[in-house]
């Protein structure tokens, strides 16, 4: 059995932690974004065009965390610029939250996909890839120290609130005094609304906006 110090070394070498400046007081969003661009902590760097790091003000009061970049994000190198991002923009506008006031990021920072002819289809990151990427998200939150974190979808919610967390049971409800922020909310991922049957889409969107309004009421 490995000694505890050996176990830590193994764990660290399998995550992005080794790319972060040793001293957290040297962490800035600009510096860690630069380092994340070279991240090879998991094999996804071979699939993606580039690392899609978080985007927004280091003084943002809200950090929203998605799952992983999609095809358009991969090409543009920016989070939430594809169809899910457009839906999120509409929902934020309806909820009265300015995208310029939030920092948007993802649990996993590379696009994972499988080929289908000429298309690249999103594939869910696995637990090892999520764990490998986690230090980037932890560092973003440590630098920004937001008042509120919003998990968009189960992957982000479980990364922040534990593997047993169920968005369907606890969406739109504040979790207080977490290690990430004084308040954490979880809601659905905007892609789930795009995937809903047409007749359910309007009500799914309205519920999503209601969850975001609940977030705004705590600002
Ligand atoms: N879905 C996500 O979770 N994040 C993005 O940046 C885009 C789509």
């Amino acid at each position: 059995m490995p000694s505890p110090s050996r176990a830590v070394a193994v764990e660290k070498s399998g995550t992005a932690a080794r790319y972060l400046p040793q001293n957290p007081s040297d962490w800035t969003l600009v510096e860690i974004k630069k380092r994340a661009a070279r991240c090879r902590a998991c094999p996804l760097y071979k699939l993606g065009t580039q690392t899609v790091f978080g985007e927004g003000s280091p003084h943002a009061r809200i950090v929203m965390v998605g799952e992983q970049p999609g095809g358009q994000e991969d090409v543009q190198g920016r989070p939430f610029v594809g169809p899910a991002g457009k839906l999120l923009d509409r929902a934020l506008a309806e909820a009265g939250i300015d995208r310029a006031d939030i920092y948007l990021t993802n649990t996993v920072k590379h696009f994972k996909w499988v080929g289908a002819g000429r298309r690249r289809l999103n594939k869910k990151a696995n637990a090892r890839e999520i764990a490998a990427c986690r230090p980037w998200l932890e560092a973003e939150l440590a630098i920004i120290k937001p008042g509120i974190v919003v998990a968009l979808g189960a992957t982000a919610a479980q990364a922040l609130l534990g593997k047993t967390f169920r968005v369907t049971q606890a969406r739109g409800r504040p979790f207080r005094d977490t290690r990430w922020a004084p308040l954490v909310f979880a809601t659905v991922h905007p892609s789930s609304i795009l995937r809903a049957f047409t007749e359910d889409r309007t009500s799914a969107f309205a519920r999503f906006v209601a969850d975001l309004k609940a977030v705004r009421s705590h600002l």
Side-chain angles (χ1 to χ4, degrees):
M1 211 164 115
S3 69
S5 58
R6 168 103 179 102
V8 169
V10 170
E11 185 200 345
K12 277 206 159 184
S13 68
T15 79
R18 67 180 184 277
Y19 292 93
L20 287 163
Q22 291 253 307
N23 188 345
S25 62
D26 296 332
W27 296 358
T28 64
L29 290 178
V30 172
E31 179 60 28
I32 65 167
K33 180 178 178 176
K34 204 163 70 190
R35 289 168 178 246
R38 303 192 305 264
C39 185
R40 281 159 170 55
C42 83
L44 292 187
Y45 76 90
K46 295 181 207 158
L47 273 184
T49 308
Q50 57 193 318
T51 306
V52 180
F53 207 67
E55 183 177 271
S57 164
H59 308 294
R61 284 191 292 165
I62 305 178
V63 172
M64 291 195 177
V65 186
E67 183 179 349
Q68 60 197 56
Q72 297 201 25
E73 287 78 16
D74 175 65
V75 172
Q76 294 190 42
R78 298 178 55 210
F80 285 103
V81 290
K86 302 262 179 312
L87 187 138
L88 176 62
D89 284 348
R90 271 204 297 128
L92 288 171
E94 280 207 25
I97 299 174
D98 191 343
R99 180 159 166 161
D101 291 339
I102 62 179
Y103 181 90
L104 263 177
T105 192
N106 282 302
T107 312
V108 170
K109 281 131 165 111
H110 273 110
F111 179 38
K112 184 174 183 183
W113 56 276
V114 284
R118 293 163 61 88
R119 295 172 61 213
R120 302 189 301 170
L121 301 181
N122 284 30
K123 185 162 185 221
K124 243 181 184 332
N126 62 35
R128 211 191 70 73
E129 291 151 355
I130 292 171
C133 214
R134 188 182 175 90
W136 296 124
L137 177 59
E138 295 199 358
E140 287 172 297
L141 293 171
I143 292 165
I144 299 169
K145 298 186 182 58
I148 302 177
V149 174
V150 182
L152 300 171
T155 299
Q158 290 178 359
L160 295 168
L161 295 166
K163 287 208 166 60
T164 57
F165 188 87
R166 294 286 167 266
V167 172
T168 43
Q169 287 162 19
R171 63 182 290 181
R173 191 179 334 138
F175 290 83
R176 294 179 191 280
D177 303 324
T178 73
R179 61 176 282 212
W180 311 111
L183 286 175
V184 175
F185 288 82
T187 181
V188 294
H189 192 283
S191 301
S192 69
I193 301 167
L194 293 174
R195 284 195 303 267
F197 289 114
T198 318
E199 61 270 24
D200 299 332
R201 217 173 279 156
T202 308
S203 59
F205 183 77
R207 271 199 85 187
F208 184 47
V209 170
D211 288 348
L212 295 178
K213 282 185 175 165
V215 171
R216 200 196 60 176
S217 74
H218 287 80
L219 277 177

